[in-house]
Amino acid sequence: MVNKEKYRAIIAELNPTKTTLVAVSKLKPAEDVKALYDLGQKDFGENYVQELVEKQAQLPSDIRWHFIGHLQSNKVKYIAPFVHLIHGVDSFGLLKEINKQAAKHNKVIPCLLQIHIAEEETKYGLDEKEAIELMEMFTAQQTQLANVRIDGLMGMASFSEDEEKVRAEFRNLKALFHILKQSYFLASDQFNTLSMGMSGDYNLAIEEGSTLVRIGSLLFGNR
Ligand SMILES: *Cc1c(COP(=O)(O)O)cnc(C)c1O
């Protein structure tokens, strides 16, 4: 079930801030995606490759599909033909595989580096040092990696009621975003996406400078 009123309220809230809404439809049926699409939503996020491939085949071709889950290198080939943005890049090897698969389709796939900002151990992502190392490797091999683009960063804050803690994590992500932008992207404005904020913390994320929020349960109900 799609909460259309909530959708309209969130859109009205996001509009003045120019934040992009990615509606996270993982584990929800294609009909729910179609219901939001019919209200004008074009950006959808999915976590599982097989589920994404199945939905993509059934749904309108102008949907912009965001892959927001943990992506295994051997599955990149299934989403490369159509994916709009891959949010969860956390290794140089994955970036190279995305490049290889994108080249087969003669396209450039935009990616975000996933940064570990939460306290929880279980969440994927790079720390600051690893992100800088990855950027160094990417910069050194950029001519061989012409079919991938790094457009920004993605992060998930701790699942916590402590507003100050969540804010601080978002602030750290934003600070790293600035450092990388200054160090590697001064000559272009492609590095412009900061994907942070989910159902429980998107208001804080926007206040801390998010440009894209990923919202699932508020729109589609609990999973
Ligand atoms: C599931 C998921 C979301 C959406 O979470 P909600 O709390 O339902 O809004 C956002 N980002 C990522 C990476 C997710 O896995």
Side-chain angles (χ1 to χ4, degrees):
M1 270 291 286
V2 172
N3 189 337
K4 295 184 181 178
E5 266 143 56
K6 191 74 202 174
Y7 174 69
R8 292 197 183 93
I10 290 173
I11 288 291
E13 227 178 337
L14 294 187
N15 264 342
T17 71
K18 298 208 169 71
T19 313
T20 301
L21 171 64
V22 171
V24 176
S25 47
K26 63 172 175 233
L27 307 177
K28 297 294 176 181
E31 303 86 81
D32 286 5
V33 175
K34 185 63 166 52
L36 263 200
Y37 174 87
D38 288 340
L39 297 182
Q41 179 65 20
K42 291 284 162 62
D43 291 277
F44 289 89
E46 288 283 339
N47 287 55
Y48 308 105
V49 168
Q50 190 182 343
E51 183 181 349
L52 171 53
V53 168
E54 282 168 14
K55 280 184 185 154
Q56 194 272 339
Q58 302 171 43
L59 285 158
S61 59
D62 62 339
I63 288 182
R64 294 185 289 262
W65 291 105
H66 296 247
F67 192 81
I68 64 170
H70 182 69
L71 184 57
Q72 290 169 277
S73 287
N74 61 353
K75 295 196 173 160
V76 175
K77 57 177 176 286
Y78 302 115
I79 63 171
F82 61 82
V83 72
H84 175 70
L85 179 64
I86 297 177
H87 291 231
V89 173
D90 60 359
S91 76
F92 190 60
L94 180 57
L95 204 56
K96 284 202 291 192
E97 179 62 18
I98 295 169
N99 181 71
K100 182 176 153 190
Q101 298 301 332
K104 288 185 185 166
H105 299 282
N106 213 359
K107 64 189 282 204
V108 175
I109 297 185
C111 298
L112 305 179
L113 301 183
Q114 183 171 353
I115 308 299
H116 181 102
I117 54 171
E119 210 170 51
E120 288 108 49
E121 281 287 332
T122 53
K123 289 183 180 166
Y124 295 106
L126 305 159
D127 64 22
E128 186 168 330
K129 182 165 162 283
E130 291 165 336
I132 290 169
E133 283 166 8
L134 193 153
M135 282 311 309
E136 287 295 324
M137 289 190 272
F138 180 69
T139 309
Q141 297 185 39
Q142 204 148 19
T143 46
Q144 297 103 286
L145 294 172
N147 295 87
V148 271
R149 211 171 67 201
I150 298 178
D151 280 2
L153 304 180
M154 181 272 234
M156 287 164 90
S158 293
F159 191 71
S160 165
E161 296 285 302
D162 183 347
E163 204 171 285
E164 273 318 306
K165 177 192 170 101
V166 171
R167 258 185 210 286
E169 291 172 358
F170 286 146
R171 238 173 255 155
N172 286 342
L173 184 58
K174 172 93 193 234
L176 179 60
F177 178 83
H178 271 294
I179 290 170
L180 297 180
K181 195 174 174 68
Q182 291 290 321
S183 309
Y184 301 100
F185 298 98
L186 265 190
S188 81
D189 56 8
Q190 72 169 70
F191 194 80
N192 59 15
T193 305
L194 191 51
S195 168
M196 61 184 197
M198 313 180 12
S199 288
D201 57 19
Y202 76 92
N203 285 301
L204 298 179
I206 290 168
E207 286 170 21
E208 298 302 335
S210 170
T211 72
L212 181 158
V213 292
R214 310 174 309 270
I215 298 181
S217 40
L218 282 182
L219 300 171
F220 295 108
N222 290 329
R223 289 177 295 271

